[in-house]
């Protein structure tokens, strides 16, 4: 999948002196987003023709479709052009870009986690069948693999993802002052994606 990036101009230091930190934060978040997208692409499975609609295979296809769709979501027009106004306008624009980048990263990681669960399901299924067609003797184990997948998918929540990012970003020593709350990110997704 092609990656999409936002070009940011060299920022001027505003009165609070944080526009450079904001620009760096945008870069950090977008790098995470692009890395996640690359990892999603690596999840591939070639189902037998008569099994392509099984839960794991269809979930993996859905994840790939969602990842491509997310890549194609345009950036809001005001983010694509540097502000012509004073440093305060630049600050507001960078804060909006941080929200948008955070929303894309959250959505991409959600897709990635679901794709990883689908791949685990594919591996379980292959282990159960060992190259054979499904038979009555496999049904209980296959049903258990389906149930395990559903439980693992249910455990993937935006809250857990946001908390994991916050923890990782804090441990990395990133500047997080303007990072949006989960509620802000979800509101942005509803109105812009």
């Amino acid at each position: 999948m092609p990656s999409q990036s936002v070009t940011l101009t060299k920022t001027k230091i505003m009165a609070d002196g944080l526009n450079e930190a904001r620009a760096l934060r945008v870069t950090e978040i977008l790098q995470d987003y692009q890395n996640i997208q690359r990892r999603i692409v690596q999840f591939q499975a070639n189902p037998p023709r008569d099994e392509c609609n099984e839960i794991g295979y269809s979930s993996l296809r859905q994840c790939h479709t969602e990842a491509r769709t997310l890549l194609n979501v345009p950036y809001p027009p005001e983010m694509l052009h540097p502000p012509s106004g004073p440093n305060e306008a630049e600050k507001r624009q960078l804060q909006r870009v941080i929200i948008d980048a955070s929303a894309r990263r959250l959505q991409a990681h959600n897709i990635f986690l679901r794709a990883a669960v689908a791949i685990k399901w594919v591996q379980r299924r292959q282990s159960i069948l060992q190259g054979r067609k499904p038979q009555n003797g496999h049904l209980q184990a296959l049903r258990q693999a389906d149930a395990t997948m559903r439980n693992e998918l249910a455990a993937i929540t935006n809250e857990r993802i946001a908390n994991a990012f916050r923890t990782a970003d804090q441990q990395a020593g990133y500047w997080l002052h303007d990072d949006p709350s989960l509620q802000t990110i979800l509101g942005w997704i509803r109105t812009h994606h």
Side-chain angles (χ1 to χ4, degrees):
M1 286 182 227
S3 66
Q4 191 178 50
S5 65
V6 173
T7 304
L8 295 175
T9 60
K10 178 112 172 114
T11 58
K12 299 174 199 158
I13 298 179
M14 138 181 180
D16 71 0
L18 297 175
N19 280 352
E20 287 185 11
R22 289 180 181 100
L24 178 60
R25 186 65 185 132
V26 168
T27 301
E28 293 162 352
I29 296 168
L30 286 177
Q31 284 175 343
D32 280 351
Y33 169 69
Q34 290 173 341
N35 289 335
I36 294 165
Q37 284 283 7
R38 284 187 202 102
R39 291 173 66 195
I40 292 169
V41 171
Q42 295 173 357
F43 290 129
Q44 298 292 328
N46 296 312
R49 176 173 269 154
D50 57 339
E51 296 180 25
C52 66
N53 291 322
E54 294 289 338
I55 185 173
Y57 295 124
S58 62
S59 180
L60 188 59
R61 276 193 313 277
Q62 179 182 349
C63 289
H64 281 261
T65 298
E66 288 177 21
R68 279 190 300 277
T69 300
L70 183 58
L71 278 172
N72 291 320
V73 170
Y75 287 92
E78 69 271 11
M79 289 186 196
L80 300 177
H81 306 289
S84 57
N87 291 335
E88 191 61 31
E90 192 171 33
K91 172 185 172 182
R92 285 191 307 276
Q93 181 188 33
L94 285 167
Q95 289 171 326
R96 286 190 303 266
V97 174
I98 288 171
I99 294 169
D100 187 79
S102 296
R104 290 171 193 272
R105 180 176 73 161
L106 178 89
Q107 289 175 291
H109 200 66
N110 186 295
I111 294 166
F112 168 78
L113 291 174
R114 290 184 289 121
V117 167
I119 285 296
K120 282 174 40 181
W121 176 91
V122 168
Q123 292 166 345
R124 281 186 202 112
R125 185 173 181 85
Q126 289 172 345
S127 176
I128 293 165
L129 296 176
Q130 298 181 357
R132 296 177 299 225
K133 294 276 185 196
Q135 299 172 359
N136 285 340
H138 301 122
L139 289 181
Q140 183 176 354
L142 292 173
R143 285 185 184 130
Q144 182 59 45
D146 291 354
T148 300
M149 179 178 170
R150 286 186 190 95
N151 290 338
E152 289 174 350
L153 289 173
I156 298 170
T157 65
N158 289 326
E159 291 79 14
R160 289 180 72 187
I161 295 169
N163 289 338
F165 276 131
R166 167 85 46 196
T167 299
D169 290 345
Q170 286 172 337
Q171 289 174 349
Y174 293 151
W175 180 80
L176 306 177
H177 181 73
D178 281 353
D179 275 24
S181 68
L182 177 58
Q183 280 58 44
T184 301
I185 292 171
L186 295 176
W188 184 268
I189 291 169
R190 280 191 297 276
T191 58
H192 292 86
H193 294 197

